Amino acid sequence: MRRAPASRLVVMLVAMVFAFGAVAVRLAFLQVGDQRSLTAMGMQQRERTIDLPAERGEIMDRNLVPLAITVGATDIYANPAYVTDPISEAEQLAPLLGLKARDIEQALRSDGTFVYIARQVDNDVAHRVETLSLPGLGFLPVPKRYYPAGALAPQVLGGVGVDDTGLGGLEFEYDRALAGTPGTQTTELSAEGLPISSAQDHIVEPVPGVNLVTTIDRQMQFQVQTALKQTVEANGAKGGTVVVMDPHTGDVYAMASYPWFDPNHYGEADPELWRNRALTDAFEPGSVNKIITAAAALETGSVGLDQRFRVPASMQVGPFTIHDSHVHPVETMTIGDIIAESSNIGAAMVAEQVGSTELSNYMERFGYGKTTGTGFPGETAGEMPSAWDDVIRATVSYGQGIAVTPMQMAGVYATIANGGTWVQPRLVRGTVGADGTFRAAPAAKTREVVTPETADLLTRMLAYVVQDGTGVEAAIPGYQVAGKTGTSRKLNQYGTYEDRYMASFVGFLPAGRPSLVIAVSIDEPDTVYGGVAAAPLFQQIARYAIQRLGIPSAPPVALPPHAQKLP
């Protein structure tokens, strides 16, 4: 056997040295030069990071009674790679979870190592699923929003989605503060998708959200909603809205819109029911607006308190004829009589002396044409005329041709009750942090609209409305009530009036020392008029509020001069 030449052996040796050297260099490069990127790639392939939701803060009433809380629930997921019989598992899960078997089966057949089967399942249901011991299923504890009182102030509170994010109302507006800061949990998985026992989880703890303290009084809210529902049904109405507030602080004790929904099933409700109509819907206020016409007249000195007007039942303004609500002979009226009897013609005559510029100015000073500043999502500013003429001035004087929200209207009467100073309404008193410390919300903004003397005269007129005018159904024995009725026709989609009405009553009590403002609007009642449909509801709510808040009576204010008793 011939030996290989030495040169060939040398060549082979050199080649092998170069080959092993290249491998060594490559290994060194991978282990040193690409270490970080390869390590990161490896970790990415075997790590699974899941969010640890922060506990959402509670929403409370003004007395710290919970209105929205967070409870424990379970997310049920699956690793499809370990599901042996998707059809059988889907058929067993469907009746327990209230889902369709074919949807569950489709999820169980999906690619990947993780798929949700059901979110935020009640723990008792999740336990029943777990006892089935179905292969491939997993269970994650998660938070779930719960509203203990059900359909209590739902349009105010709003709702929360399955991802624990606010979808409407205060839940949406204060979502960042309520939600807190979520944490994370990082787990290492094997190639089969199973946790590696020797690996150590990395956990970043979540930071819980703050608790939100509202101005709502839970008991009053309940009573208001009960009374509102009864009134709407008794009057065959389409719906209704009520606002109850403190005229001095701007605190809203109750805010209700009927029909409503249960926020525990937010996603299942008709989106039309989500709207907080006290803030998001504007309508022509009708005669409740006449008090601003009177305020402008008295504040500017355009009309005297005992000045007499010869008021017919109809009057020509430009090319149009305007009418009072009923036919009557020419009557002699003071401005107090015009408000008490709710005369459209009388209001137009007063507005003529005030002038368009001043009337528009006082509408804006009372808050028309801008939002109230509650910060509530979707709040509308209403509508004001862009240009004024004689016809606009006349119709606006008695509440047509403009659009306002129930909250704006409540703010007008709260301004009068507060001695002429407007106070920004609010729904939130403050927050309570994890340390239990209460932090008050910023003080409400204020502005002077009319002088205390004018506010006193307006209060006397409104008391006259309830004692001897259109608002007698709002009277409460032992308490002098000041308020105004309103009945306005509704516009259709073409901008013409139909025989559909909004009936309103807005007032405060006691007139001599106001403690509470209540604004009531009933949408399309069979009984039509504010004095019939809305005033009795005002009285019912006011009677309860007197007891709930311990409102004392006060000496009555003097009624304004009226033509029948003037010399």
Side-chain angles (χ1 to χ4, degrees):
M1 182 177 180
R2 293 191 308 168
R3 295 182 178 179
S7 59
R8 185 181 300 177
L9 293 176
V10 171
V11 171
M12 292 178 62
L13 178 62
V14 171
M16 292 178 65
V17 169
F18 271 106
F20 281 112
V23 171
V25 171
R26 180 57 179 164
L27 287 173
F29 183 78
L30 291 175
Q31 293 178 1
V32 178
D34 282 353
Q35 179 185 15
R36 291 185 179 180
S37 61
L38 292 173
T39 300
M41 186 181 300
M43 292 298 294
Q44 184 178 9
Q45 289 176 347
R46 70 175 184 268
E47 279 187 349
R48 173 76 66 185
T49 299
I50 61 173
D51 290 332
L52 298 177
E55 183 172 349
R56 193 174 182 85
E58 295 183 358
I59 300 180
M60 308 175 181
D61 87 335
R62 63 184 302 106
N63 301 308
L64 305 185
V65 178
L67 301 175
I69 63 176
T70 297
V71 297
T74 302
D75 279 354
I76 301 176
Y77 68 93
N79 183 342
Y82 287 90
V83 176
T84 56
D85 190 345
I87 297 177
S88 175
E89 290 197 18
E91 290 176 348
Q92 293 179 72
L93 291 173
L96 290 176
L97 300 177
L99 301 174
K100 294 180 180 179
R102 65 173 178 270
D103 294 335
I104 299 176
E105 181 187 347
Q106 183 178 359
L108 294 175
R109 293 183 182 277
S110 61
D111 297 330
T113 60
F114 184 93
V115 61
Y116 281 114
I117 302 300
R119 307 288 302 274
Q120 293 186 337
V121 177
D122 290 343
N123 285 335
D124 59 340
V125 175
H127 178 70
R128 292 167 62 188
V129 172
E130 193 169 8
T131 58
L132 296 176
S133 299
L134 299 176
L137 291 189
F139 304 85
L140 291 174
V142 293
K144 179 181 179 180
R145 205 57 163 170
Y146 177 66
Y147 302 88
L152 187 84
Q155 291 97 343
V156 175
L157 299 177
V160 172
V162 293
D163 58 355
D164 216 31
T165 300
L167 299 178
L170 297 179
E171 294 276 25
F172 174 83
E173 183 65 24
Y174 293 89
D175 184 60
R176 180 174 297 181
L178 289 165
T181 304
T184 58
Q185 177 177 350
T186 302
T187 303
E188 292 187 41
L189 304 177
S190 68
E192 293 78 21
L194 298 175
I196 300 174
S197 59
S198 61
Q200 186 173 2
D201 289 357
H202 178 67
I203 298 176
V204 177
E205 295 292 344
V207 179
V210 301
N211 296 328
L212 194 69
V213 182
T214 70
T215 61
I216 298 295
D217 182 283
R218 184 183 184 278
Q219 294 300 322
M220 190 174 297
Q221 180 75 29
F222 175 79
Q223 294 295 332
V224 166
Q225 288 188 212
T226 301
L228 175 60
K229 182 176 184 291
Q230 292 171 348
T231 297
V232 169
E233 292 175 349
N235 285 274
K238 182 179 178 181
T241 304
V242 174
V243 175
V244 182
M245 66 181 294
D246 184 326
H248 310 297
T249 66
D251 283 6
V252 176
Y253 290 115
M255 180 178 283
S257 297
Y258 182 80
W260 45 69
F261 64 96
D262 185 345
N264 289 305
H265 306 286
Y266 188 85
E268 301 171 19
D270 183 347
E272 281 292 306
L273 303 183
W274 294 347
R275 301 204 328 251
N276 185 359
R277 297 180 184 274
L279 291 164
T280 64
D281 289 21
F283 63 96
E284 291 193 346
S287 294
V288 293
N289 194 63
K290 290 172 182 171
I291 199 64
I292 298 183
T293 303
L298 296 174
E299 189 77 357
T300 60
S302 303
V303 174
L305 198 61
D306 57 358
Q307 182 175 339
R308 302 187 192 192
F309 292 84
R310 297 277 293 169
V311 181
S314 63
M315 183 172 70
Q316 191 76 17
V317 180
F320 300 97
T321 301
I322 61 176
H323 303 269
D324 269 345
S325 61
H326 63 282
V327 177
H328 61 81
V330 175
E331 296 181 4
T332 302
M333 293 184 173
T334 63
I335 189 171
D337 295 322
I338 290 169
I339 298 300
E341 298 302 324
S342 202
S343 170
N344 294 343
I345 305 303
M349 296 172 75
V350 170
E352 185 177 6
Q353 299 207 17
V354 172
S356 298
T357 300
E358 288 293 355
L359 186 58
S360 174
N361 176 42
Y362 276 91
M363 298 274 179
E364 293 177 358
R365 292 178 66 170
F366 271 103
Y368 287 7
K370 51 182 174 287
T371 61
T372 62
T374 61
F376 196 88
E379 180 177 1
T380 181
E383 295 182 12
M384 283 276 288
S386 56
W388 291 66
D389 57 21
D390 291 348
V391 175
I392 293 295
R393 185 189 63 240
T395 56
V396 166
S397 72
Y398 53 82
Q400 287 188 355
I402 55 173
V404 301
T405 66
M407 187 74 256
Q408 286 175 314
M409 205 69 250
V412 170
Y413 284 73
T415 299
I416 298 168
N418 194 38
T421 298
W422 178 87
V423 178
Q424 184 181 59
R426 64 177 189 169
L427 287 164
V428 175
R429 291 183 61 218
T431 59
V432 176
D435 59 357
T437 301
F438 175 76
R439 294 172 177 82
K445 296 178 181 179
T446 64
R447 65 172 180 268
E448 183 175 313
V449 178
V450 296
T451 63
E453 293 75 19
T454 297
D456 178 66
L457 293 177
L458 295 171
T459 297
R460 293 167 59 188
M461 291 181 188
L462 294 172
Y464 183 16
V465 172
V466 177
Q467 181 168 315
D468 293 314
T470 59
V472 293
E473 292 295 328
I476 300 174
Y479 287 80
Q480 190 181 37
V481 173
K484 183 73 186 76
T485 57
T487 306
S488 58
R489 295 176 70 185
K490 296 178 66 175
L491 293 167
N492 60 24
Q493 58 181 332
Y494 306 108
T496 57
Y497 289 102
E498 296 183 336
D499 289 332
R500 299 181 297 123
Y501 297 85
M502 185 73 74
S504 305
F505 186 92
V506 190
F508 52 86
L509 77 152
R513 191 167 52 243
S515 296
L516 199 69
V517 172
I518 303 172
V520 175
S521 300
I522 306 299
D523 190 5
E524 298 184 22
D526 292 339
T527 44
V528 177
Y529 295 106
V532 178
L537 177 56
F538 171 96
Q539 184 202 68
Q540 185 177 353
I541 294 171
R543 284 178 178 272
Y544 174 79
I546 289 170
Q547 298 178 352
R548 174 67 178 169
L549 302 178
I551 298 175
S553 186
V557 298
L559 300 184
H562 47 288
Q564 290 80 1
K565 294 187 178 181
L566 287 173

